[in-house]
Amino acid sequence: MSLSMHAASAPVLIRMLGNLLAWLDKAQAHAEARKFDTANYLGLRLAPDMLPFTRQIQICSDGAKGCMARLAGQEVPKWDDTEATLDELRARVRRTIEYVQSFEPAQIDGSEAREILLPTRQGEPLKFTGENYLKHFVLPNFYFHATMTYALLRHAGVELGKRDYLGAA
Amino acid sequence: MSLSMHAASAPVLIRMLGNLLAWLDKAQAHAEARKFDTANYLGLRLAPDMLPFTRQIQICSDGAKGCMARLAGQEVPKWDDTEATLDELRARVRRTIEYVQSFEPAQIDGSEAREILLPTRQGEPLKFTGENYLKHFVLPNFYFHATMTYALLRHAGVELGKRDYLGAA
């Protein structure tokens, strides 16, 4: 017995994206209770040289989308980063969940040794096996941006706790 | 082909704990350049009701230690949370790496369906399969506290970037 590549990726991504949707619901309720515009969340940054809230969520989405496409040997679909409201960010997350769900296990399983080339801004792509791409790039990066999203909401006073972060056990 | 439980856990934990040691080196250099005591990092919090720097690192350590012990069906060793300096936190991280490295793949592999009982403060333990414990508890929780450690250092002005977070590709 062991973990298939699909079992080690899709359910993990779907679970955390679903948790993220629940955080956004709490963020909405928090804004309504305090009567501020939910758009005020979108530009929040933990430090002036860190990416804002909207980008954290878009990068979570891109990480999940890129993972599934690349492991399946497909071209990664380009989604424009045009979200300008909390509702549009929610729609982006839902679209990402549906995209991840659209892959059959058979499309992902067996991708451990597949060569994954990750474009970089510097020109030379990063080269991974499917296994190392998932373990040492996709998951840490995805959790990084999910955690930053959570941290920004906590910083903004939204009442979130570890149970919200982890979701239903 | 697929991922063994050891391959999906130990190298992932070891990589990120090694990255964390490199962040602490940069934090030390940052403190020396600005002539402040590295102990000033230890109590930093992102919000007044979030755990401080020292606890973030101790919880990363506990997450990695608990993962290996529980998947191997061993009692989780109790390590006292007594670290009071950056050097002692480094030693805790190194000890954790050595502990994770001390397990042979054969002790961890095949633990997908092992019943894992996680004690909670409420009394009733959380029950997982080994696979779900690793995927939906250990890894998101471990990355959460690693990312919080990173966020606190970024907030404190330490020059870290995504390459430091992910480590050598």
Side-chain angles (χ1 to χ4, degrees):
Chain A
M1 255 183 83
S2 51
L3 300 182
S4 76
M5 285 292 282
H6 184 270
S9 56
V12 169
L13 299 169
I14 289 168
R15 162 80 74 106
M16 189 55 62
L17 291 166
N19 298 350
L20 205 161
L21 283 178
W23 312 340
L24 297 185
D25 288 346
K26 286 207 172 184
Q28 170 109 32
H30 178 74
E32 284 167 3
R34 279 160 192 73
K35 303 192 197 313
F36 67 81
D37 190 332
T38 55
N40 294 2
Y41 290 118
L42 306 191
L44 291 180
R45 299 174 193 264
L46 271 189
D49 57 343
M50 291 180 80
L51 293 169
F53 186 78
T54 296
R55 288 294 295 141
Q56 302 293 344
I57 295 178
Q58 288 165 341
I59 296 173
C60 277
S61 163
D62 284 344
K65 165 167 67 83
C67 172
M68 301 309 288
R70 290 193 180 98
L71 291 179
Q74 297 183 4
E75 190 144 350
V76 182
K78 172 101 188 75
W79 293 355
D80 289 330
D81 292 326
T82 54
E83 291 79 14
T85 66
L86 202 61
D87 272 343
E88 287 175 8
L89 284 173
R90 274 201 191 90
R92 170 77 174 250
V93 176
R94 282 199 209 95
R95 182 183 183 194
T96 310
I97 292 173
E98 284 162 21
Y99 182 78
V100 175
Q101 286 172 332
S102 74
F103 287 82
E104 296 294 329
Q107 293 176 268
I108 304 297
D109 289 346
S111 59
E112 295 84 343
R114 178 189 287 277
E115 185 180 75
I116 306 285
L117 294 175
L118 204 66
T120 63
R121 264 174 259 161
Q122 288 74 39
E124 199 61 17
L126 289 176
K127 202 187 286 187
F128 294 95
T129 62
E131 173 173 343
N132 285 333
Y133 170 63
L134 176 63
K135 284 163 40 174
H136 298 306
F137 184 84
V138 170
L139 292 180
N141 201 49
F142 177 76
Y143 283 126
F144 179 91
H145 293 286
T147 300
M148 286 299 174
T149 304
Y150 175 98
L152 285 167
L153 291 175
R154 285 288 270 105
H155 213 66
V158 180
E159 282 193 30
L160 295 173
K162 186 54 77 65
R163 275 165 193 268
D164 298 291
Y165 175 73
L166 291 173
Chain B
M1 256 182 82
S2 52
L3 300 183
S4 75
M5 285 291 282
H6 184 271
S9 56
V12 169
L13 299 168
I14 289 167
R15 162 79 75 103
M16 190 55 61
L17 291 166
N19 298 350
L20 205 161
L21 283 177
W23 313 339
L24 297 185
D25 288 345
K26 285 206 172 182
Q28 169 109 31
H30 179 73
E32 285 168 2
R34 279 158 191 77
K35 303 191 196 314
F36 67 81
D37 191 330
T38 55
N40 293 1
Y41 289 118
L42 305 191
L44 292 180
R45 298 174 193 263
L46 271 189
D49 58 343
M50 292 181 78
L51 293 169
F53 187 79
T54 296
R55 287 295 295 142
Q56 302 293 346
I57 295 178
Q58 288 164 341
I59 296 173
C60 277
S61 162
D62 284 344
K65 165 167 68 78
C67 173
M68 302 308 289
R70 291 194 181 97
L71 291 180
Q74 298 183 3
E75 189 143 351
V76 182
K78 173 102 188 76
W79 293 355
D80 289 328
D81 292 326
T82 54
E83 291 78 14
T85 66
L86 202 61
D87 271 344
E88 287 174 8
L89 284 172
R90 274 201 191 89
R92 170 78 173 251
V93 176
R94 281 199 209 95
R95 183 183 181 194
T96 310
I97 293 173
E98 284 163 21
Y99 181 78
V100 175
Q101 287 171 332
S102 75
F103 287 81
E104 296 294 329
Q107 292 176 269
I108 304 296
D109 289 346
S111 58
E112 294 85 343
R114 178 188 287 278
E115 184 180 76
I116 306 287
L117 293 174
L118 204 65
T120 64
R121 265 174 257 160
Q122 290 73 37
E124 200 62 18
L126 290 177
K127 203 187 284 187
F128 294 94
T129 61
E131 174 173 343
N132 285 334
Y133 169 63
L134 176 62
K135 283 164 38 175
H136 298 307
F137 184 83
V138 169
L139 293 180
N141 201 49
F142 177 76
Y143 283 126
F144 179 92
H145 293 285
T147 299
M148 285 300 174
T149 304
Y150 175 98
L152 285 167
L153 291 175
R154 284 288 268 105
H155 214 65
V158 180
E159 282 193 31
L160 295 172
K162 187 53 77 64
R163 274 166 194 269
D164 299 291
Y165 175 73
L166 290 173

